[in-house]
C-alpha cells in the first residue's frame, strides 16, 4: 500500500468506527427507551396492585369490624365495655362474650391473628365450636383449646400465628378458669387493695408447629374487681423512638382509674395509646375489653348457693 493511500485508509476506518459507535448508541438508546417503557408499565402495575391491595385491606377491615360485637348479652352482676379499632396495615383481632347452657356461666374470648386470613380461619372454627357441647357445657378448657387448635392446624400456613385468651366465668363462685396463649395484655385489677396483676401466658404464641398441650389458670373475683384485656396492637403500639406502649403503662392507667367506670377506662386506655404513638389510626388492630364485677354480684352468688 502506498503512503498516499494511508490517510484515506485511516479516514475510512475512522468513519467505520464512528458508524459502529452510532449504531451502538442507537441500540443503547433503543434499549434505554424499552427499559423506560417497561419501568413505566411496571410502575403502573405496581400502582394498580397497591390500589387493589388497599381495597382488599379496606374490605377486610370492614368485614372484621362487622364481625366484632357491638353489644354483649346482659349478664347480671357484671358491667362491660369494649372498643375495636381496625389497623391500617395489620389486622386479625376478634373478641366476644358468650353465654353458656348454664346461664350462670359465661365465656370471654380475645384472639389476635397474624393476618385477616388466619383470623377468618379461627373465626370459622370458633363459631362452629361454640355450638358444640364441649364449649356450651363448659368442658375443661385445655380440651376445648386442643379441639380448636387441631382444627386450625390443618388449614394454617407456616407463617400463620395466633394469640388467644379464653376465660370461662362461674357467676356462682365468681371464679374464672382461663388459658392465655401468646402475648396479650390481660390484667386482673383487685379493687380492695388497689392492685393490678398482669396475667402470664400459659402457652406461647400458637403456630402450625406448636404443641397441643395447654395449661390453665384460675382467679377469684371480689366486688369491683376488673378483668381488662387488650390486643397486641395496644401493648405493641410504638412511638417515634421505637419504644412500645407496654403492659406497664396499661397497669398505670388502671391504677389511676380505680373509681372510673368501665367506659371511661376503655376510652382512657385508647387515648393514652394514641397520644403515645402520635397516630390517630393504628398500624395494627386495637381491641380493649373491660369487665367489672358489680357489688350485687356477691348477693347473686350467695342466693344461688
Amino acid at each position: 500500500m502506498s503512503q498516499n493511500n494511508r490517510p484515506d485508509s485511516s479516514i475510512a476506518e475512522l468513519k467505520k468506527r464512528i458508524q459502529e459507535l452510532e449504531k451502538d448508541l442507537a441500540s443503547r438508546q433503543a434499549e434505554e427507551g424499552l427499559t423506560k417503557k417497561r419501568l413505566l408499565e411496571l410502575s403502573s402495575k405496581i400502582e394498580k396492585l397497591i390500589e387493589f391491595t388497599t381495597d382488599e385491606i379496606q374490605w377486610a377491615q370492614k368485614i372484621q369490624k362487622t364481625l366484632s360485637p357491638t353489644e354483649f348479652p346482659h349478664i347480671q352482676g357484671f358491667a362491660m365495655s369494649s372498643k375495636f379499632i381496625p389497623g391500617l396495615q395489620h389486622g386479625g383481632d376478634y373478641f366476644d362474650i358468650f353465654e353458656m347452657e348454664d346461664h350462670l356461666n359465661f365465656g370471654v374470648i380475645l384472639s389476635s391473628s397474624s393476618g385477616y386470613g388466619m383470623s377468618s380461619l379461627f373465626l370459622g372454627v370458633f363459631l362452629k365450636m361454640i355450638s358444640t357441647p364441649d364449649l356450651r357445657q363448659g368442658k375443661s378448657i385445655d380440651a376445648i383449646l386442643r379441639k380448636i387448635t387441631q382444627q386450625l392446624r390443618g388449614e394454617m400456613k407456616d407463617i400463620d400465628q395466633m394469640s388467644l385468651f379464653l376465660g370461662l366465668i362461674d357467676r356462682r363462685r365468681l371464679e374464672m378458669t382461663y388459658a392465655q396463649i401468646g402475648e396479650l395484655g390481660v390484667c386482673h385489677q383487685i379493687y380492695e387493695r388497689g392492685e393490678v396483676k398482669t396475667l402470664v401466658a400459659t402457652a406461647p404464641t400458637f403456630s402450625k408447629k406448636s404443641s397441643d398441650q395447654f395449661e390453665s389458670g384460675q382467679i377469684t373475683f371480689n366486688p369491683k374487681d376488673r378483668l381488662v384485656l387488650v390486643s397486641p396492637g395496644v401493648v405493641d403500639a410504638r412511638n417515634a423512638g421505637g419504644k412500645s406502649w407496654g403492659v406497664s403503662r396499661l397497669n398505670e392507667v388502671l391504677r389511676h382509674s380505680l373509681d372510673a367506670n368501665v367506659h371511661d377506662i376503655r376510652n382512657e386506655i385508647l387515648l393514652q395509646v394514641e397520644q403515645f404513638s402520635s397516630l390517630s389510626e393504628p398500624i395494627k388492630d386495637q381491641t380493649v375489653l373491660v369487665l367489672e364485677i358489680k357489688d350485687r354480684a356477691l348477693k347473686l352468688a350467695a342466693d344461688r348457693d
Side-chain angles (χ1 to χ4, degrees), residues 33-263:
L34 184 59
T35 301
K36 285 181 179 179
K37 184 180 178 182
R38 287 175 179 170
L39 284 173
L40 288 172
E41 290 173 352
L42 182 59
S43 177
S44 177
K45 288 180 180 178
I46 290 172
E47 286 178 5
K48 288 178 181 177
L49 180 60
I50 290 171
E51 288 175 6
F52 174 77
T53 304
T54 302
D55 288 342
E56 289 288 298
I57 291 173
Q58 288 175 348
W59 273 109
Q61 289 173 345
K62 289 176 182 177
I63 292 169
Q64 196 83 3
K65 194 169 185 179
T66 301
L67 292 172
S68 299
T70 55
E71 293 183 4
F72 293 128
H74 175 70
I75 298 176
Q76 188 177 354
F78 287 79
M80 306 174 189
S81 184
S82 67
K83 180 77 173 180
F84 166 74
I85 304 175
L88 290 173
Q89 296 179 15
H90 302 284
D93 285 5
Y94 176 74
F95 65 99
D96 200 2
I97 291 175
F98 54 94
E99 291 186 285
M100 300 166 75
E101 284 187 5
D102 178 350
H103 291 298
L104 289 176
N105 293 303
F106 69 95
V108 55
I109 189 166
L110 171 62
S111 67
S112 183
S113 302
S114 52
Y116 292 115
M118 180 63 196
S119 180
S120 299
L121 175 61
F122 168 74
L123 184 56
V125 170
F126 176 70
L127 291 178
K128 184 167 62 176
M129 188 75 184
I130 203 171
S131 62
T132 65
D134 292 307
L135 192 55
R136 298 287 293 172
Q137 294 176 5
K139 302 283 180 166
S140 67
I141 205 160
D142 56 331
I144 293 169
L145 288 174
R146 274 199 301 275
K147 284 201 170 184
I148 290 175
T149 53
Q150 284 169 2
Q151 291 182 58
L152 288 174
R153 195 185 306 279
E155 301 295 330
M156 287 176 69
K157 299 176 182 176
D158 290 339
I159 60 171
D160 289 335
Q161 291 186 326
M162 182 188 68
S163 296
L164 173 70
F165 179 90
L166 176 62
L168 304 179
I169 299 175
D170 184 337
R171 294 167 62 203
R172 295 180 186 87
R173 298 176 177 80
L174 293 182
E175 292 178 349
M176 178 178 72
T177 304
Y178 71 92
Q180 180 182 336
I181 301 170
E183 300 303 320
L184 299 163
V186 185
C187 297
H188 172 207
Q189 185 171 28
I190 304 169
Y191 180 83
E192 191 177 59
R193 301 203 299 264
E195 181 183 351
V196 180
K197 287 187 174 181
T198 300
L199 273 61
V200 179
T202 57
T205 301
F206 181 72
S207 67
K208 192 167 185 176
K209 297 180 180 179
S210 294
S211 168
D212 282 328
Q213 299 302 313
F214 301 100
E215 295 182 6
S216 60
Q218 189 173 69
I219 59 176
T220 301
F221 295 113
N222 290 299
K224 296 188 178 181
D225 280 7
R226 298 189 187 112
L227 177 69
V228 180
L229 301 94
V230 302
S231 64
V234 175
V235 291
D236 292 342
R238 298 184 181 275
N239 63 11
K243 292 184 177 180
S244 59
W245 192 65
V247 176
S248 61
R249 289 184 175 85
L250 172 62
N251 292 350
E252 195 67 22
V253 170
L254 296 178
R255 279 192 286 269
H256 285 87
S257 307
L258 193 61
D259 292 309
N261 64 51
V262 290
H263 305 297

